[in-house]
């Protein structure tokens, strides 16, 4: 009854490993450490350094550890990079997910949880955006995730495999107990970058676009605490284990914050009044993306505990300080 966590040494995956361990669940991590860190997870968690596209390796792990569920985080996540390297993104996020799914079917693993993204909605006209909105991704990243969603849908019809797809909005923050956080030095996420600027690790913050049709002209996003997000995965796991049918659910709070609001919060939390310069719009940014957040509450009984921008920024800042002091 072990849970296989792919990408378990990465930002979200490592939080998941801690969440499962906090609930005394047996876990095995598969990660190729291309962007993850071995020390993001406890020493006593079984760890395999390898690739989800390696069929024999995945089969062997499933047998050896008696894997009955898979939570699949491994993948590439930088939207602009996906535009310059689409085939790399389709390989990592789509082709290798297909391999993982095929092994799951062959080996009789019945429960599959997949990290998808709000990027599948593209430039959503409706906000909040609900799960039945049209899928119109505008980046290879979003398309690569959408294609995996579609493969899961068809596979679950043909085989005895149930899935939960979680479409993440803007994941941020760090473990409140300080055990893990976002550690990639080159991450492009707004809260991470702003914290690095506050700590003097980056020279400046650029705000991409000031003429969006929003109240203050900057983009609105629905920032969700990583700890609330992994709790949703744990509930999804229990839901599938109890025989729940396949579901696709947004994972956000249903409240948007502008880039200006986020930057002000980082200044307040860090107590550093760093400069943010206005810059051109970044290609592919929707003006607003806010989750229709009711379905996951209804189905999984998910009740977020850290739905507060200040808490998210504070935990992210504390983690960034820890990384800084560790240098
Ligand atoms: C995107 C994806 C999301 C993915 C995430 C991780 C979409 C719609 N969403 O989120 O699925 O999980 O990337 O890579 O594609 N910003 C600045 N200055 C900065 C950085 C960001 O102004 O230095 C702004 C952006 O223009 C955006 C907001 O802050 O409006 C959030 O950006 P970011 O943190 O990069 O996430 P998304 O692009 O929203």
């Amino acid at each position: 009854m072990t849970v296989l966590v792919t990408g378990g040494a990465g930002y979200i995956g490592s939080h998941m490993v801690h969440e499962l361990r906090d609930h005394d669940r047996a876990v095995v991590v598969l990660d190729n450490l291309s962007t993850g860190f071995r020390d993001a997870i406890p020493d006593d968690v079984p760890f395999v350094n390898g690739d989800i596209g390696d069929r024999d390796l995945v089969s062997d792990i499933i047998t050896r550890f008696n894997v009955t569920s898979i939570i699949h985080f491994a993948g590439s996540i930088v939207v602009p990079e996906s535009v310059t390297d689409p085939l790399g993104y389709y390989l990592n996020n789509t082709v290798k997910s297909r391999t993982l799914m095929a092994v799951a079917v062959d080996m009789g693993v019945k429960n599959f949880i997949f990290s998808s993204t709000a990027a599948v909605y593209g430039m959503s006209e409706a906000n909040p955006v609900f799960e039945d909105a049209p899928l119109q991704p505008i980046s290879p990243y979003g398309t690569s995730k959408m294609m995996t969603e579609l493969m899961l849908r068809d596979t679950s019809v043909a085989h005895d495999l149930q899935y939960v797809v979680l479409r993440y909005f803007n994941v941020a923050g760090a473990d409140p107990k300080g055990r893990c956080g976002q550690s990639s030095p080159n991450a492009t996420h707004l809260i991470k970058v702003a914290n690095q600027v506050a700590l003097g690790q980056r020279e400046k913050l650029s705000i991409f676009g000031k003429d969006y049709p929003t109240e203050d002209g900057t983009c609105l996003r629905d920032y969700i605490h990583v700890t609330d997000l992994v709790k949703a995965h744990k509930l999804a796991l229990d839901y599938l284990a109890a025989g729940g049918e396949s579901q696709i659910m947004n994972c956000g709070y249903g409240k948007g914050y502008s880039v200006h609001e986020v930057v002000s919060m980082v200044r307040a939390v860090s107590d550093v009044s760093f400069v943010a310069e206005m810059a051109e719009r970044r290609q592919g940014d929707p003006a607003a993306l806010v989750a229709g957040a009711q379905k996951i509450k209804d189905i999984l009984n998910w009740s977020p505990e850290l739905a507060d921008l200040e808490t998210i920024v504070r935990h992210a800042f504390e983690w960034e300080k820890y990384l800084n002091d560790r240098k």
Side-chain angles (χ1 to χ4, degrees):
M1 296 283 279
T2 301
V3 183
L4 167 60
V5 179
T6 76
Y11 169 45
I12 304 173
S14 58
H15 288 80
M16 187 77 241
V17 170
H18 282 285
E19 170 72 10
L20 290 167
R21 227 164 143 263
D22 290 347
H23 287 89
D24 295 321
R25 299 293 295 266
V27 187
V28 55
V29 170
L30 173 61
D31 197 302
N32 64 12
L33 298 183
S34 58
T35 54
F37 300 89
R38 175 64 182 90
D39 65 3
I41 50 173
D43 285 340
D44 61 358
V45 169
F47 171 79
V48 180
N49 184 347
D51 203 277
I52 55 164
D54 183 340
R55 225 189 149 98
D56 294 340
L57 177 66
V58 177
S59 301
D60 178 58
I61 293 170
I62 291 172
T63 309
R64 233 176 348 128
F65 291 89
N66 186 24
V67 169
T68 48
S69 306
I70 296 175
I71 309 185
H72 177 31
F73 294 103
S76 303
I77 62 154
V78 181
V79 177
E81 187 181 68
S82 79
V83 177
T84 53
D85 181 22
L87 295 177
Y89 272 66
Y90 291 124
L91 175 63
N92 280 345
N93 292 352
T94 313
V95 175
K96 289 184 181 179
S97 293
R98 186 217 165 269
T99 304
L100 184 66
M101 245 179 263
V103 181
V105 168
D106 284 352
M107 306 290 292
V109 176
K110 294 184 174 36
N111 300 330
F112 200 102
I113 298 175
F114 175 58
S115 309
S116 190
T117 167
V120 298
Y121 298 118
M123 298 280 181
S124 170
E125 280 175 18
N127 273 296
V129 56
F130 293 94
E131 290 84 352
D132 58 358
L135 301 186
Q136 298 167 326
I138 53 168
S139 66
Y141 167 69
T143 308
S144 69
K145 291 283 187 175
M146 179 188 76
M147 286 159 81
T148 301
E149 286 195 13
L150 298 177
M151 287 193 293
L152 272 171
R153 180 196 66 190
D154 296 343
T155 304
S156 78
V157 172
H159 300 283
D160 184 15
L161 178 130
Q162 278 69 46
Y163 66 85
V164 168
V165 162
L166 295 175
R167 292 181 180 153
Y168 308 165
F169 283 66
N170 287 61
V171 186
D175 180 37
K177 296 185 182 140
R179 297 172 296 184
C180 47
Q182 166 63 277
S183 299
S184 317
N186 303 322
T188 55
H189 305 73
L190 175 62
I191 292 178
K192 170 95 183 173
V193 173
N195 277 326
Q196 288 176 318
V197 174
L199 287 168
Q201 295 163 353
R202 288 200 200 210
E203 227 166 82
K204 59 171 188 194
L205 176 77
S206 301
I207 295 182
F208 300 133
K210 58 175 180 188
D211 55 355
Y212 284 98
T214 59
E215 223 162 88
D216 67 18
T218 64
C219 291
L220 282 188
R221 293 288 183 274
D222 187 341
Y223 295 90
I224 168 179
H225 197 295
V226 62
T227 298
D228 277 337
L229 179 80
V230 297
K231 284 185 192 302
H233 289 69
K234 165 68 175 44
L235 293 172
L237 201 61
D238 296 342
Y239 165 85
L240 288 177
E245 60 185 40
S246 296
Q247 297 287 352
I248 296 178
M249 292 177 279
N250 286 341
C251 235
Y253 295 143
K255 177 163 170 48
Y257 288 95
S258 73
V259 177
H260 275 316
E261 286 173 314
V262 172
V263 171
S264 299
M265 187 59 83
V266 175
R267 285 188 183 125
V269 166
S270 64
D271 204 17
V272 180
S273 51
F274 58 88
V275 177
E277 64 169 31
M278 299 311 299
E280 291 298 301
R281 286 184 178 198
R282 190 173 68 175
Q283 216 192 347
D285 271 341
L289 206 45
V290 177
Q294 196 54 43
K295 184 175 177 186
I296 188 165
K297 291 180 181 155
D298 292 345
I299 293 180
L300 298 184
N301 210 9
W302 179 59
S303 59
E305 290 163 10
L306 301 165
D308 167 56
L309 185 63
E310 185 185 340
T311 305
I312 293 173
V313 168
R314 191 160 37 80
H315 289 158
F317 182 70
E318 279 160 12
W319 180 255
E320 209 56 55
K321 251 190 354 206
Y322 161 77
L323 291 179
N324 201 33
D325 296 346
R326 208 172 62 162
K327 274 184 191 161

